[in-house]
Amino acid sequence: MTTPVPALDTLSPRVAAMQPSATLAISGRAAALQREGRDVIALSAGEPDFPTPAPIVEAAHQALRDQRFSYTPNPGIPELREAIARKLRDENGLDVTAADVVCSNGAKQSVAQALLAICQPGDEVLVPAPYWVSYPEMARLAGATPVAVEATAAADYKLTPDQLDDAITERTRVLILNSPSNPTGAVYSPDELEALAAVLRRHPHVAVVSDEIYEHVVFDATFAAFAALDGMGPRTCTVNGFSKAFAMTGWRLGYLAAPGWWSGATAKIQSQLTSGPSSITQYAALAAFTMGPEPVDEMVVAFRERRDAVLARLRALDGVTCPTPQGAFYLFPDVSALYGRRTPDGAEITGSVDLCTYLLEAHDVALVPGEAFGSDAGVRISYATDLDTLRAACDRIEAGVAALR
């Protein structure tokens, strides 16, 4: 008996199991409506609306003048890796050297390579929900099974030690932590992280990917690096980058720092996929470590003002509750009390997708359904835009909610 030959257009099961990015899908639909002439306000993208700080831009110009056009070492130029390692040691208390650092084309690539390096079929990856949309898909691409552990609005969207302990099995390979969080803005306190670490100390087979890309965008909390906790350094891959705090999203530069056995494996993967990041971006990023804190501080002040303004408007809406986010630039209101209501044309709102579709199509405001983040009870609102635009968006949300019956 011969083995059936697959059709030419048969995809890898790992790719077939993945879902496209919901945030990009919503942004794409909003852009399509805008091209049609609709005045759509898009609060769906996670991108600062500030310019890249001038010292970084000038450093890029200098790199161009110096003709820094060649391929760089695969894990990044030595000067940048040393600057990152020094930052992690001095600011975050990590025991790392430049040899532990791998620079990539964005923190997203760093997370993906960290999972690809250590996961295999049969492994489980714990993903606290609400989660960033890409985490489960990266786990699937690595051949592992994502396991969502839902944290509720009542718990400020934070994983509890009991939840973590209950979720860990002999198949658990990785826990992904994201603090400050996308999509909720939740920030784990040092004591809360220590409580999770205490659980992990009883389960030495579990590694941790700690995504700390929003580290500098913190309002009412103290940021703590997970790898700095007792015993966590040898089992943690810390991921960070330049896109959020330094408004460098399109520059595409992130990094990871991990024990040599792990970081070396990610570098091997990268060497066969993309090689090192843009040379110009790497030289530009060096300026982020020597410039003053003013540009970042100004952004954080503006984000706090925007958060407070939008949060007050949301909490005034019937059927909407929202914890206070302590970092990043997102709100994740619980809108589940609106489910079961009907739009003016009689359509029932059965979940977050219906609600976001209604608000986009009928009221020209784009939000991202919580279903994409593993929590259908909420929606994600990005407040990375100016106050006037946010106020106009809140007017539209308010009108849309008021019209439901």
Side-chain angles (χ1 to χ4, degrees), residues 338-343 345-351 354-355 358 404-405:
L338 302 177
Y339 301 165
R341 299 185 188 182
R342 294 185 178 275
T343 66
D345 63 4
E348 183 180 1
I349 301 296
T350 62
D354 286 347
L355 181 62
Y358 159 66
L404 296 175
R405 296 291 181 264

Side-chain angles (χ1 to χ4, degrees), residues 23-42 44 360-361 364 366:
T23 53
L24 295 181
I26 291 291
S27 296
R29 176 57 181 158
L33 292 176
Q34 288 170 334
R35 288 193 295 272
E36 295 172 7
R38 296 268 291 272
D39 177 28
V40 173
I41 298 176
S44 51
L360 177 58
E361 302 291 345
D364 292 329

